[in-house]
């Protein structure tokens, strides 16, 4: 029996959200107008924002109908049939949309392999037909007659979170990533990589690396299958889907599902809102006067530059939700079937979520076996399903490739140490420096999720399966972050997987502490303000500026955090000596948690007021300068896409990022992205063959291409064209087209004598390989 249940009341997972109290204790249901008004306002905001940033009315309408009719509605019907329990309409639609994405990925793989990509529409059509034809399923069109009562402010609160994400997306992503050329060329580094993969999934199955013909695509590519399916069905350009449309419904559904999970765990709408807000706003407290360097933060708009991350987060949320039911004893064939579907989809969507999930399930199984003195079959079955997906993904989808992930303890902290101390990144830190810095960062994370300490007021709650699952996942993710290394700090994706659920447990602890201490709202606010004031006072009093000025000892880095730690220990000691009751202890937990969320933003504001940049100079990659962007590349690439076959192979003489030729930065993917064609060799940084060569301290984007014979034959056709050179490209490699960058003598003027010119746009030209 669950600890909460044994205390004589239902476990929080079994509680529906309480409604607002009315006269005589009656619960007030919000009117239909109020329920839909926040959604209508957010929809209007999204529509206006997208129109302002270049999305046409036609594309917006087509995409909206596609999401509603081809994903959300059929998915919702399946959820209603398979997943029992009371849910709000928003929760059903969010679950249905997530299920729609999961099913669509599998169906599109089969449809594309059969050469009929529009056959992806068969699954919503069949779903509608079955739910209309089978009498027992028709009732699911009407939904549930009785739904859980939610507070009147609940729809507005979730809409406010989504509003924040829309505004943040516009400010940080839409403004800097235009839909038009040449500004598009200066977009985020990975945008052409994503576009190239969408083009590959539009035309080929199984997919390979489009920028290096023949290389296996050992990557999480299910999200690109969704992009491809959406493009086929709606006719919307992949560029518009990637930069404007597709992430928004994913983020909206993610907000609702995270709120649903948090409300299930905490039994409190307020705690759920705290969990969702903390998920998208949490940041480690930066007590330095200077930019925030190297702190662990889950960035809420990560999805725009890493679609696999948001897609994976969305599909993982129902997994956690279903497991909360299953490990708590609420079983059923429908739940197990849905869990299997989502786990299989996760394998190709973002497999980095699965090993931490297995660790969390292992913790649940071990603790439950000891407590119950019998095998925890539900946890063990879920663990077996997860392990099978991990093994299949690693052995089949990813071919056993390690993708440059190596054991390299504390490697993540080396760039932070260099930035904080002012040393060069190549300098070796003193013995113990990284370990000490790791202790500081762990303290930052403890502060960020200090609410977990609130569960200590009722220690039995720490043994609840849902809490164990989330804490186990968090511990596993943190271990991966600290023990492994990756050239692009890819180990942080494991950390991002756990952030929402650690924040949920922290919110649960805060709610528990406040309830146990019977703290009125004024006392909660006063404790939070005290924590914020303490953090700002420590920052001002210590005055540690980073990078450290010359002559300042490295120990200055640890002074503000040591001072904050001393304040917390002193406060705890005073309460222990005075044998304080639960309220003062709850106030201490609230104050410490406030240092990790509201105070962190106040500290950023304090730095901004002092004229100190708050962004990390270690983040990001220098963009392509405007003078280096070939203005005619888009026209040439689009012409080639429209006048060639999907299986035609293209050769290009551009292998390095524009403006980064010495040394060559091989993260160049624009030819494959604009043409939607496979390229003999363009940019090779992200291939498994290249990443397998990486060792700590190296830059994989500067490695030379490993197949020197292919590179020599490719470049000879442009620099020293001849009949034999073009014949080798065609007969040995199967090249049909040449996409030539003719700026600054990069292409011989004699090329046209051996390959007919088919299109020219300024310094970019398209040639047809004869034969």
């Amino acid at each position: 029996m669950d600890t909460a249940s044994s205390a004589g009341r239902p476990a929080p997972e079994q509680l529906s959200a309480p409604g607002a109290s009315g006269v005589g204790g009656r619960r007030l249901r919000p009117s239909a107008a109020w329920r839909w008004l926040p959604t209508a306002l957010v929809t209007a905001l999204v529509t206006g924002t997208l129109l302002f940033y270049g999305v046409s009315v036609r594309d917006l309408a087509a995409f909206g109908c596609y999401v509603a009719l081809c994903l959300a509605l059929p998915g919702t019907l399946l959820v209603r049939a398979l997943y029992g329990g009371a849910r709000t309409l928003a929760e059903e639609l969010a679950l249905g949309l997530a299920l729609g994405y999961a099913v669509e990925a599998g169906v599109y793989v089969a449809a594309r392999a059969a050469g009929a990509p529009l056959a992806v529409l068969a699954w919503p059509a069949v779903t509608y037909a079955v739910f209309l034809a089978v009498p027992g399923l028709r009732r699911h069109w009407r939904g549930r007659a009785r739904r859980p009562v939610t507070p009147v402010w609940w729809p507005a609160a979730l809409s406010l979170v989504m509003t924040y994400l829309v505004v943040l997306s516009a400010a940080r992503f839409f403004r800097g990533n235009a839909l038009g050329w040449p500004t598009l060329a200066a977009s985020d580094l990975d945008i052409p990589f994503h576009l190239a993969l969408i083009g590959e999934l539009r035309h080929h199955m199984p997919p390979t690396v489009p920028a290096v013909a023949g290389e296996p695509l050992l990557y999480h590519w299910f999200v690109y299958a969704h992009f491809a399916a959406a493009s086929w069905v709606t006719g919307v350009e992949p560029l518009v889907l990637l930069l404007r449309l597709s992430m928004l419904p994913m983020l909206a559904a993610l907000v609702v599902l995270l709120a649903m999970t948090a409300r299930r765990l905490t039994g409190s709408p307020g705690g759920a809102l705290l969990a969702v807000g903390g998920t998208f706003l949490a940041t480690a407290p930066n007590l330095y006067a200077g930019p925030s360097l190297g702190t662990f933060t889950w960035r809420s708009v990560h999805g725009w530059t890493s679609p696999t991350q948001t897609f994976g987060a969305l599909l993982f949320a129902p997994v956690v939700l279903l497991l909360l039911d299953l490990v708590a004893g609420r079983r059923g064939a429908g739940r197990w079937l849905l869990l299997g579907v989502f786990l299989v989809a996760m394998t190709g969507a973002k497999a980095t979520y699965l090993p931490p999930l297995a660790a969390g399930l292992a913790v649940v199984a071990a603790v439950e076996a000891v407590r119950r003195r019998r095998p925890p079959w539900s946890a063990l079955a879920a663990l077996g399903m997860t392990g099978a997906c991990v093994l299949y993904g690693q052995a089949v989808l990813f071919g056993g490739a390690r993708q440059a992930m190596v054991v390299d303890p504390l490697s993540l902290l080396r760039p932070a140490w260099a930035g904080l101390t002012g040393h060069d990144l190549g300098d070796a830190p003193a013995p113990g420096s990284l370990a000490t810095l790791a202790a500081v960062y762990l303290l930052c994370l403890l502060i960020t999720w200090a609410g977990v300490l609130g569960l200590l007021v009722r220690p039995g709650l720490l043994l609840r399966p849902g809490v164990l699952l989330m804490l186990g996942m968090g511990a596993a993710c943190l271990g991966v972050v600290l023990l492994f290394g990756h050239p692009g700090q890819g180990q942080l994706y494991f950390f991002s997987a756990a952030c929402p659920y650690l924040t949920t447990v922290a919110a649960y602890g805060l709610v528990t502490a406040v309830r146990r201490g019977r703290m009125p709202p004024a006392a909660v606010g006063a404790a939070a303000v005290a924590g914020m004031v303490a953090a700002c006072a420590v920052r001002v009093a210590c005055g540690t500026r980073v990078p450290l000025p010359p002559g300042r000892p490295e120990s200055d880095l640890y002074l503000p955090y040591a001072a904050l730690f001393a304040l917390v220990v002193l406060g705890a000691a005073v309460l222990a000596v005075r044998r304080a009751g639960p309220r003062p202890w709850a106030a201490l937990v609230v104050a410490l948690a406030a240092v990790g969320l509201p105070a962190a933003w106040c500290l950023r504001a304090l730095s901004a007021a002092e004229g100190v940049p708050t962004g990390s100079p270690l983040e990001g990659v220098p963009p392509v300068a405007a003078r280096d962007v070939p203005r005619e590349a888009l026209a040439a690439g689009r012409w080639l896409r429209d006048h060639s076959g999907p299986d035609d192979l293209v050769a290009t003489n551009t292998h390095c990022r524009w403006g980064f030729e010495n040394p060559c930065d091989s993260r160049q993917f624009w030819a494959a992205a604009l043409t939607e064609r496979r390229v003999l060799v363009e940019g090779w940084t992200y291939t498994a063959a290249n990443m397998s060569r990486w060792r700590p301290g190296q830059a994989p984007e500067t490695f030379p291409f490993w197949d020197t014979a292919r590179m020599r034959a490719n470049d000879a056709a442009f620099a020293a064209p001849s009949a034999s050179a073009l014949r080798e490209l065609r007969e040995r490699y199967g090249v049909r087209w040449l996409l030539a960058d003719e700026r600054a003598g990069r292409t011989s003027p004699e090329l046209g004598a051996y390959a007919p010119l088919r299109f020219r746009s300024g310094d970019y030209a398209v040639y047809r390989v004869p034969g």
Side-chain angles (χ1 to χ4, degrees):
M1 182 178 294
D2 199 313
T3 303
S5 298
S6 64
R9 63 182 182 84
E13 288 114 327
Q14 297 172 318
L15 295 175
S16 61
S21 296
V23 179
R26 292 178 299 172
R27 302 192 187 279
L28 298 179
R29 287 186 178 271
S31 65
W34 170 256
R35 285 199 307 266
W36 290 104
L37 179 60
T39 303
L41 293 176
V42 173
T43 302
L45 172 66
V46 170
T47 301
T49 301
L50 293 175
L51 292 176
F52 180 80
Y53 282 102
V55 179
S56 69
V57 174
R58 183 264 171 204
D59 286 354
L60 189 56
F63 181 74
C65 292
Y66 157 77
V67 170
L69 300 178
C70 300
L71 296 175
L73 182 52
T76 300
L77 291 173
L78 292 173
V79 166
R80 287 174 176 174
L82 296 172
Y83 192 7
R87 292 177 299 274
T88 67
L89 179 59
E91 291 168 350
E92 282 189 339
L93 290 173
L95 281 168
L97 182 58
L99 183 59
Y101 285 124
V103 175
E104 179 196 57
V107 175
Y108 180 78
V109 168
R112 179 64 272 180
L118 285 176
V120 71
L121 293 173
W123 91 267
V126 170
T127 301
Y128 291 148
V130 170
F131 276 79
L132 287 171
V134 179
L137 296 177
R138 290 174 189 163
R139 59 187 176 87
H140 296 301
W141 289 95
R142 299 189 299 272
R144 301 179 183 275
R146 181 178 179 276
R147 296 188 181 277
V149 179
T150 55
V152 294
W153 51 263
W154 184 248
L158 295 187
S159 297
L160 188 61
V161 174
M162 190 59 199
T163 298
Y164 165 76
L165 293 178
V166 172
V167 172
L168 197 64
S169 298
R172 292 191 175 181
F173 187 80
F174 294 171
R175 288 175 56 188
N177 293 272
L179 295 177
W181 200 270
T183 309
L184 174 62
S187 297
D188 181 84
L189 172 70
D190 288 336
I191 293 301
F193 174 73
H194 300 314
L195 278 176
L197 290 183
I198 296 171
E200 174 69 11
L201 267 296
R202 271 176 53 84
H203 303 294
H204 300 100
M205 184 61 62
T208 62
V209 176
V212 182
E215 282 297 303
L217 181 59
L218 308 178
Y219 190 63
H220 316 279
W221 51 262
F222 277 18
V223 69
Y224 306 106
H226 157 66
F227 282 118
S231 181
W232 279 112
V233 173
T234 64
V236 178
E237 276 282 351
L239 180 65
V240 178
L241 293 171
L242 176 65
L243 296 187
R244 294 294 183 267
L245 294 175
S246 284
M247 290 298 106
L248 289 173
M250 294 184 194
L251 287 172
L254 181 60
V255 168
V256 175
L257 292 179
L258 291 179
M260 185 180 179
T261 302
R263 193 156 58 92
R264 183 75 58 84
L265 184 72
T266 65
S268 164
L273 181 60
L274 183 63
V276 174
T279 293
F280 292 103
L281 293 172
T283 179
N286 176 32
L287 300 179
Y288 303 127
S292 177
L293 294 170
T295 52
F296 298 149
T297 302
W298 187 46
R299 307 194 187 286
S300 55
V301 291
H302 222 329
W304 293 105
T305 54
S306 179
T308 59
Q309 184 67 23
T310 294
F311 193 62
L314 173 61
L315 297 187
F316 189 63
V319 171
V320 176
L321 191 62
L322 289 163
L323 287 174
L324 288 181
D325 286 342
L326 293 170
V327 299
R330 289 186 295 280
R331 303 180 182 90
R335 286 183 172 90
W336 285 109
L337 177 60
L338 288 174
L339 178 64
V341 170
F342 281 116
L343 285 176
V344 170
M346 284 299 306
T347 305
K350 197 69 173 178
T352 50
Y353 281 81
L354 295 180
L357 176 63
L361 287 169
V363 171
V364 173
V367 173
E368 287 292 287
V370 173
R371 291 181 65 202
R372 314 291 186 191
R373 300 181 183 275
R374 64 176 184 269
W377 296 115
S378 293
L380 291 174
L383 179 59
M385 294 168 65
T386 304
C389 289
V390 171
L391 293 176
Y392 176 82
Q394 187 61 23
V396 179
L397 286 181
F398 311 124
R402 63 181 177 86
Q403 292 293 355
M405 190 73 77
V406 298
V407 177
D408 189 15
L410 304 183
S411 63
L412 184 71
L413 300 179
R414 292 194 187 102
W417 174 84
L420 293 171
T421 59
H423 290 85
D424 292 329
L425 188 57
D427 294 342
S433 292
L434 292 184
T436 307
L437 192 59
V440 170
Y441 277 17
L442 289 174
L443 175 62
C444 287
L445 295 178
L446 175 62
I447 293 172
T448 303
W449 295 306
V452 176
L453 300 175
L455 294 177
L456 295 176
V457 301
R458 294 186 60 195
L461 297 180
L462 287 169
L463 299 180
R464 287 184 56 202
V467 173
L468 289 172
L469 176 67
M470 295 181 184
L471 291 180
M473 290 192 303
C477 289
L478 188 56
V480 170
V481 167
L482 293 178
L483 293 178
F484 287 84
H486 189 270
Q489 297 185 343
Q491 64 269 49
L492 279 176
Y493 287 110
F494 289 91
F495 180 80
S496 297
C499 278
Y501 304 102
L502 288 174
T503 305
T504 298
V505 178
Y508 184 27
L510 282 174
V511 169
T512 302
V514 169
R515 285 174 173 172
R516 184 75 170 178
R518 300 183 182 275
M519 294 180 65
V524 174
V529 170
M532 296 167 60
V533 170
C536 292
V538 166
R539 180 194 181 283
V540 173
C542 295
T544 301
R545 182 171 293 275
V546 294
L548 289 175
R552 297 295 296 272
E554 188 178 319
S555 58
D556 283 3
L557 291 176
Y558 318 122
L559 179 61
Y561 292 97
L564 182 62
F565 182 72
L567 282 177
V568 175
V569 171
L570 178 62
V574 170
L575 295 181
V577 169
R578 298 186 61 180
R579 298 183 179 179
R583 180 175 295 184
W585 285 105
L588 181 62
V589 172
V590 171
L592 185 58
V595 176
L597 185 57
W601 290 94
C602 292
L603 292 167
R604 288 171 66 91
L606 187 61
S607 294
E610 295 172 352
V612 177
T614 56
S616 171
L618 300 178
E619 296 175 357
V621 177
V624 176
R627 64 179 181 276
D628 296 318
V629 176
R631 292 181 174 271
E632 301 82 9
L634 177 63
R638 289 300 191 232
W639 185 94
L640 184 52
R641 182 185 70 172
D642 296 338
H643 294 81
S644 61
D647 294 324
D648 286 357
L649 186 62
V650 177
T652 183
N653 59 341
T654 300
H655 311 295
C656 312
R657 292 181 67 215
W658 295 311
F660 295 87
E661 287 85 5
N662 191 20
C664 176
D665 184 337
S666 63
R667 291 172 292 184
Q668 174 72 359
F669 314 103
W670 278 115
L674 297 178
T675 64
E676 294 186 15
R677 299 293 177 263
R678 290 171 172 172
V679 181
L680 179 64
V681 53
E682 185 182 14
W684 54 87
T685 294
Y686 297 149
T687 60
N690 187 68
M691 298 299 274
S692 66
R693 302 186 289 176
W694 178 79
R695 295 296 181 271
Q698 299 175 327
E701 64 271 16
T702 62
F703 293 168
F705 188 58
W706 59 89
D707 190 340
T708 55
R710 183 195 296 196
M711 180 65 81
R712 188 183 308 112
N714 182 97
D715 291 348
F718 295 91
S722 64
S724 60
L726 293 178
R727 185 166 53 252
E728 180 181 13
L729 277 189
R730 183 175 181 88
E731 296 179 357
R732 181 176 179 182
Y733 297 104
V735 174
R736 297 294 183 267
W737 299 90
L738 303 179
L739 181 61
D741 182 353
E742 299 183 342
R743 295 176 301 162
R746 300 184 186 191
T747 302
S748 169
E750 299 179 1
L751 178 57
Y754 300 96
L757 175 67
R758 298 297 303 275
F759 179 82
R760 177 181 297 281
S761 179
D763 289 326
Y764 256 75
V766 178
Y767 296 87
R768 177 78 180 189
V769 177

